[in-house]
Structure formats: C-alpha cells, structure tokens
Amino acid sequence: MTDQDIQGSEEAFTGAVSDEVVIDITSMNKWFGDFHVLKDINLTVYRGERIVICGPSGSGKSTMIRCINRLEKHQRGRVEVDGIELTDNIKKMDQVRREVGMVFQHFNLFPHLTVLENCTLAPIWVRRMPRAEADESAMRYLERVKIPEQASKYPGQLSGGQQQRVAIARSLCMEPRVMLFDEPTSALDPEMIKEVLEVMVDLAESGMTMLVVSHEMGFARQVANRIIFMDEGQIVEQAPPTEFFRNPKSDRTKLFLSQILHSAEA
Amino acid sequence: MERATHIVHEKAPTLPPPVMSVGIARWLKENLFSSASNIVLTFVVIYLLWLIIPPFLDWAIFDAVWVAASRAECWDTADGACWAVVVTRFDQFVYGDYPKSERWRANLAFVLLFVALAPVLYDRIPWRRHLVGFSICYPVVAYILLIGGLGLPEVETARFGGFLLTIVIGITGISASLPLGILLALGRQSDLFIIRVLCVAFIEFIRGVPLITLLFVASTLLNYFMPPGTSFNLLVRVLIMVTLFSAAYLAEVIRGGLQAMPAGQYEAAKSLGLPYWKTMRLVILPQALKISIPGIVNSFIALYKDTTLVIIIGLLDPLGIGKATLSDTTWQGLSTEVYIFVAIFFFLCCFGMSRYSAWLERRLHTGH
C-alpha cells in the first residue's frame, strides 16, 4: 500500500549531487569469527547522494553501514569519512560519529529521558551548546518530523512510528553531514511506515546525504539516485533506480526483485 | 459462514464498572473472602491476632513501667515491660560515651545530615543546586562537628557509641561504597585487561571473606602493614573495611543492571558521538542503577545491620551498650526490653530505606 502511494511520483525528485566525496570505502573486508561477512567492498558516496541498500537478510547490508560510523570495525581495507580514516583512535571516531547520524531498526531512544531531552543530550554534552539554544533547535527538528507536541513525553508513551521520528530528529539535532538508516521501518506496523518514510523523503529533498538499508522499494524509486544490491557480503549490483528495477543485470538481483515484488503485490 | 456478516453502526457506550468491582468492597472480597478456604483462613488469622495482640499490648504498654530506679522496683510496681531501663540509659544508647557537654555537636550533625540528604534523595526540592553543594561539603562538616577542629575540642572516636556509632558507620559506608561499587562494576566490564582482572580479583576476594574477618584484620593486622609510628584510628579502619565489603557486593548488583542494558543504548550513544564516560553517566548508569535499586537497597540494609558486628572488635554499638547495660546488676535480666528497643531502632531505619526505594522506583518509572 505504502509502496504504491509513493510510487505515483516516480522519478519526480532528482536532488543535486555534488562531486565532493563524503565516504570512501576501498576493499573493505570483515569477519565475524570465521565467517566472512563483508567481501572486498568498494563504495564512494558523494555529497547529496541518496543510496538505498537492499539484499536478502544476512547479506551484510547492516554490517556495511555500521562500519561507516565504526559501530563495527572492519579488518582489512580502508574507510574514510569526511577525509578522516577510521582507526582505533577513539577521539577521532567520536569526531566522525558527530558528523554521521544513525537511525536504528529498534529506534534505541533513551527511555529515561523525555523526547526533548533525547534530542538535546548530544548537542549539549558533545557540541557544548547552551541548553536554551539546544532546546530551540530540538523543537525545530521535532516540528520537522511533525511531533513537537510530544516533546515532554517519554519514549515509552509513543507509538513506534513516533519513536522512529524522534530518533530521526535526535540525529538531525547534531546537524550531521551524512545520515545512515539501518532498516528504519522494518520494526513498524504498516500504518506507521508511511509517516516515517514521509519524513525521510522530506529529508532527502533537503539535500541530506543518506545511506538507507531498506526493502521499501517505493521509497527507493522515489528518492534514491543509486540502489545497491548486496548478497553474501558482496556488492552485486549498483544502478540508478529506473535501470535497477527495469533492467537488473545479475541473476541474483532478478531473483531477489521477483521475490520482494511478488510479496509486495500479495 | 460467509453470510454471517455482522456490521456495527453505533459506537459502544462507555459504562461505569459494577459496584462490587471497585473500592473497599472489591478489595475485601478479592483478598479476604474470595473462596471458602480463604474465608476460613481469614477467621483463623483474626482469632490468632486476637490471641497475640492484646496480651502483648498489655505487656508493652498498659502494664509497662516507664520510670524506676532498678529492675526490682519495676517488678514491684507492675508485671509488664520495664522500659525504665531504656529510659534511664537512653542517652547512652544514643551517644555512647560521647561527652555530655559536646552532645549538641552530635545533634547538630544529625540534623544537618537530613539537610544534606534531602537534595540527594529528592530531586524536586527548591534550591537543589545550592543544597547539593552543601551535601558535598557535609562529610567535612560532620567530621569537624563530631571529632573536632576549628576551635571545637577534640572528641576521641573511641568514645563514639550507640546509635551515633551505627549512623556514622552506616551512612559513611553507604555513601562511600556506592561510587566505589559503580567503579568496580564498570571496571569489571572494562576493555582494559589489567583493570578488569584487578576488579574481578578485588570483588572475589572481598566476597569470599566474612566481614568479621575483615574487621579483625582492620583492628589488628593493618598495624603490621603500616609504617611504624602511624597510628591508624580504629574507627577509620572499620569504615574502610565496611565500605570495601559493601562495595564488592554493590559492584555485583550493579553489574547485573549493566548487563540488562540493551546493546542498542550503547550504540545510540556512540553514534551521537558521546565519549565513554558521558555515555555511562548520562545514558547507561541512570538506567542500570534504576534497575538495580532493589538490589542496591538490599545491600545497604544488610550493611546497616552488619554495623552491629563491630561489637566484636570492642566498639560499643547499640548492641554493645545493651550488653553493658544488662551486665549492670541494677538492670540484669531485662534483655527482652533492651533488645526490643534496639530492634525497633534498626527496623525503623531499614524500613525507611525500603519504603524510600519503593517510592524511588515508582518515581523513576517512565512508562515502558
């Protein structure tokens, strides 16, 4: 249902992509124990790009974007974010993480803080912003995700869709240069998926660089300028959405697309 | 089956609940008279209470003697409790051997203790920020008041006794062991091997040794380790041992709370760029400590009651005073009265802690 709503405006949106490199990944490899999760990943992301990453579960999509803000460590290869190479230097990693926002499948809001406090925590303690200013900017972002009236509630009192929008606002409050979304709608009820996707579309239109792990193909069609298909730890195919959907090259992509499009119709 | 379509056009009205399902009537029915066996049980218990309570009240209150010079005089007057022993020795039970002329200092320290505790225990108090400043300075204030300094004559800690001693050991132990316990719990989870091993070794050692042993170590062995000439106050040594002992237990309780934290909380904090200590202070510990409140308070209550063990190394806590009182020929044989009195004191303190923790848990509940 949500797929079709968004599909209507296929290719209506083409945001500007600059030639400034934000993320540069070269031959990145990662293992969980003996299991080779990421195999020779190469990916360059330019400012303003909106990349949707899809693929079967266990294909390494989440692990890949988690390597970008070093929630996971890669073991071989090189990852650069905003010109800073990801290493074990904790100070530098905190610096990178300030510039890279992340939205999780299970929201991961801080349950002991109100919505507003969730949003102002990092600006106050990391950016050293005065409280009044942080409150004001948090309210602006809460308005942007359309829940300013929930500011004084606790996350436990909100619906899943509302919590995810708060999580997006919380990340935006740090004014990141890149936003990572790790399956942002897959823990949500169908009726709430739409409200979250709308916020993400709005964000894409504002020119934010976004990497989104998602199976929302309608969303991918509407906002992505590139779709990446991963399988068994490899980037199998990447293409602009029109080409990706109309003319997938690899057999694995075709199989995957036939499966998810079939289930979307059912 | 398919013909049985059922469509509702009006909204169902909202009705008040039936009378028997609310208020006292419901409570009585559900809790005391819910079934035949429950009704029987209710009456049996009422009968037992009727057997026990009136005679006890007669003994403890109606036939009790409050003023008398000796046990013999008590027993001549009435056959109830002889509270005169407690009344006569009350000052000793409270202050021990603390000099009479200086007791106002202990009283003042006690009153200020509540001023210092208020902003820590209750966060909506007015001027909390300023009061917290006082709470931080309180240990120094209490030290000067109780022991001396700034023109106040010195009182030897050996003269501390009774409830004063219990409160000094209990409060110091509690307030010093909590931060230490938190650090040990964090250390036990540290990525740094050496720190982890040190914390585990410390916790396991302290937990594996009885507190009495540690107190004996405090009273005797520590002297061997100290360079000759340094005399280390016995009370200070006891305070250190009690604190370490309690910290090891707290560390384990808090570790349980830390382990209950979902990985997502750490990841969310990390992804916002919060460094380790800020993550701990602002995100993890507030939640982990909240989960651990019942265990933490349990340890505090245990610590508070364990302060009575100092009797073994010769400090006169309330039980010590009680023992001294009972060995006085004037009051011999009144152990029931003396120990009930001491028990009431401990019960009030511990029950207070328990109620506070229940209140705090409700207070910190944010609906999830």
Side-chain angles (χ1 to χ4, degrees):
Chain A
M1 192 181 89
T2 52
D3 261 19
Q4 278 158 7
D5 287 344
I6 301 175
Q7 255 175 39
S9 52
E10 185 179 335
E11 313 254 335
F13 166 65
T14 42
V17 175
S18 82
D19 53 4
E20 183 192 346
V21 174
V22 191
I23 299 167
D24 196 12
I25 302 177
T26 27
S27 2
M28 174 172 75
N29 281 273
K30 176 168 179 63
W31 290 261
F32 284 136
D34 288 337
F35 179 59
H36 200 170
V37 255
L38 293 177
K39 300 170 183 164
D40 201 36
I41 303 284
N42 288 287
L43 177 67
T44 307
V45 181
Y46 297 93
R47 173 151 327 286
E49 273 206 289
R50 292 126 353 240
I51 299 178
V52 169
I53 302 156
C54 59
S57 67
S59 59
K61 324 175 283 283
S62 293
T63 313
M64 183 177 84
I65 68 163
R66 285 161 63 86
C67 281
I68 294 173
N69 66 351
R70 211 165 171 82
L71 287 183
E72 302 284 356
K73 292 178 185 176
H74 60 279
Q75 283 136 318
R76 203 182 285 164
R78 188 180 166 86
V79 183
E80 248 179 53
V81 177
D82 240 352
I84 301 174
E85 194 192 344
L86 301 192
T87 56
D88 277 333
N89 183 329
I90 294 172
K91 282 241 166 77
K92 281 219 162 139
M93 290 314 99
D94 285 338
Q95 199 182 321
V96 167
R97 285 169 182 151
R98 267 174 247 167
E99 306 301 331
V100 180
M102 184 152 197
V103 174
F104 300 87
Q105 181 179 1
H106 296 290
F107 334 131
N108 296 352
L109 293 175
F110 305 132
H112 62 300
L113 300 177
T114 63
V115 165
L116 186 66
E117 288 165 343
N118 263 279
C119 292
T120 56
L121 184 80
I124 290 173
W125 293 94
V126 178
R127 293 239 190 261
R128 306 191 174 283
M129 197 185 272
R131 182 173 295 272
E133 198 183 314
D135 282 352
E136 200 183 306
S137 114
M139 285 312 294
R140 261 204 318 279
Y141 284 110
L142 287 173
E143 264 157 43
R144 194 160 157 198
V145 301
K146 303 186 190 81
I147 34 172
E149 73 282 358
Q150 312 285 0
S152 57
K153 287 197 184 164
Y154 287 95
Q157 299 164 312
L158 305 184
S159 74
Q162 290 173 322
Q163 290 194 44
Q164 194 60 299
R165 286 185 283 152
V166 172
I168 294 174
R170 176 176 72 176
S171 286
L172 291 178
C173 283
M174 285 297 280
E175 296 178 350
R177 308 185 69 181
V178 186
M179 284 284 282
L180 308 174
F181 292 82
D182 188 0
E183 308 212 24
T185 56
S186 44
L188 296 176
D189 290 338
E191 59 211 288
M192 292 168 184
I193 292 179
K194 197 178 156 196
E195 63 187 51
V196 171
L197 288 181
E198 278 170 2
V199 167
M200 290 169 63
V201 170
D202 171 63
L203 192 60
E205 283 171 356
S206 74
M208 175 65 75
T209 312
M210 294 163 71
L211 275 83
V212 184
V213 172
S214 175
H215 291 157
E216 295 294 331
M217 289 302 132
F219 171 79
R221 276 205 175 106
Q222 191 188 352
V223 306
N225 65 320
R226 201 175 356 153
I227 297 184
I228 291 179
F229 174 70
M230 286 183 73
D231 192 20
E232 293 179 3
Q234 273 180 306
I235 293 182
V236 176
E237 187 161 348
Q238 25 179 336
T242 7
E243 207 184 315
F244 182 82
F245 288 113
R246 291 202 184 134
N247 196 9
K249 300 265 177 334
S250 92
D251 291 340
R252 281 193 275 181
T253 317
K254 282 176 197 160
L255 180 66
F256 176 75
L257 279 176
S258 76
Q259 277 165 347
I260 65 161
L261 294 179
H262 178 73
S263 69
E265 279 158 21
Chain B
M1 282 301 280
E2 280 177 20
R3 283 189 201 158
T5 318
H6 172 69
I7 300 171
V8 176
H9 290 288
E10 306 89 31
K11 282 191 179 173
T14 317
L15 301 173
V19 181
M20 281 309 282
S21 65
V22 287
I24 296 176
R26 190 196 89 172
W27 189 90
L28 285 175
K29 185 167 171 260
E30 268 185 13
N31 293 289
L32 300 181
F33 302 106
S34 61
S35 66
S37 54
N38 198 351
I39 291 171
V40 172
L41 191 63
T42 301
F43 283 110
V44 169
V45 169
I46 289 175
Y47 176 68
L48 285 177
L49 289 178
W50 183 74
L51 279 186
I52 296 167
I53 291 184
F56 178 77
L57 288 181
D58 281 344
W59 176 81
I61 297 172
F62 302 119
D63 294 338
V65 180
W66 300 86
V67 183
S70 70
R71 184 202 61 185
E73 193 186 324
C74 265
W75 288 2
D76 287 343
T77 327
D79 37 346
C82 181
W83 296 120
V85 57
V86 173
V87 173
T88 320
R89 298 283 185 132
F90 189 75
D91 281 1
Q92 249 196 307
F93 273 107
V94 175
Y95 303 102
D97 195 23
Y98 206 82
K100 263 213 169 93
S101 58
E102 306 298 327
R103 284 182 186 167
W104 64 271
R105 285 158 53 179
N107 293 340
L108 182 59
F110 185 66
V111 172
L112 289 180
L113 173 66
F114 287 95
V115 181
L117 283 180
V120 178
L121 299 182
Y122 186 62
D123 63 347
R124 286 190 195 155
I125 206 159
W127 307 299
R128 182 161 184 249
R129 276 169 183 247
H130 306 278
L131 283 172
V132 166
F134 175 72
S135 308
I136 294 168
C137 304
Y138 180 76
V140 179
V141 174
Y143 180 90
I144 292 169
L145 277 174
L146 291 174
I147 295 177
L150 293 182
L152 291 172
E154 199 195 317
V155 177
E156 279 176 50
T157 54
R159 304 188 68 173
F160 286 32
F163 301 145
L164 171 66
L165 184 66
T166 302
I167 292 171
V168 166
I169 301 175
I171 298 286
T172 314
I174 286 172
S175 41
S177 65
L178 183 60
L180 191 59
I182 292 173
L183 288 179
L184 283 169
L186 292 178
R188 191 164 186 168
Q189 299 209 316
S190 169
D191 292 336
L192 303 169
F193 177 74
I194 301 289
I195 291 187
R196 195 166 62 234
V197 167
L198 284 177
C199 290
V200 172
F202 177 85
I203 291 169
E204 295 303 337
F205 170 73
I206 298 275
R207 284 205 307 172
V209 176
L211 178 56
I212 296 185
T213 316
L214 290 177
L215 290 176
F216 274 126
V217 170
S219 73
T220 57
L221 258 182
L222 270 186
N223 278 348
Y224 292 109
F225 294 121
M226 295 295 160
T230 45
S231 83
F232 217 40
N233 185 301
L234 180 61
L235 181 62
V236 173
R237 282 182 278 167
V238 167
L239 287 177
I240 291 173
M241 285 306 178
V242 168
T243 302
L244 296 182
F245 187 78
S246 169
Y249 279 87
L250 280 177
E252 287 300 284
V253 169
I254 293 165
R255 184 166 71 102
L258 287 172
Q259 281 175 343
M261 295 301 301
Q265 293 290 308
Y266 291 91
E267 289 178 356
K270 260 189 193 173
S271 74
L272 288 167
L274 282 168
Y276 176 81
W277 284 108
K278 281 181 185 160
T279 301
M280 287 303 156
R281 184 156 69 90
L282 301 167
V283 176
I284 304 300
L285 284 176
Q287 299 182 63
L289 290 180
K290 188 184 105 183
I291 308 173
S292 320
I293 288 173
I296 291 175
V297 173
N298 196 29
S299 298
F300 284 168
I301 289 176
L303 178 155
Y304 198 75
K305 292 188 298 180
D306 280 352
T307 57
T308 51
L309 290 175
V310 297
I311 190 176
I312 292 175
I313 56 168
L315 294 181
L316 286 181
D317 81 309
L319 285 184
I321 304 278
K323 223 175 142 194
T325 307
L326 292 172
S327 58
D328 176 350
T329 43
T330 335
W331 299 111
Q332 252 173 8
L334 292 176
S335 46
T336 317
E337 283 85 345
V338 165
Y339 288 124
I340 284 182
F341 173 65
V342 173
I344 289 173
F345 165 75
F346 276 100
F347 178 78
L348 287 180
C349 297
C350 296
F351 188 64
M353 285 191 242
S354 153
R355 291 289 80 197
Y356 172 75
S357 90
W359 174 83
L360 188 64
E361 272 180 75
R362 277 199 306 279
R363 180 63 198 285
L364 294 176
H365 184 73
T366 53
H368 51 87

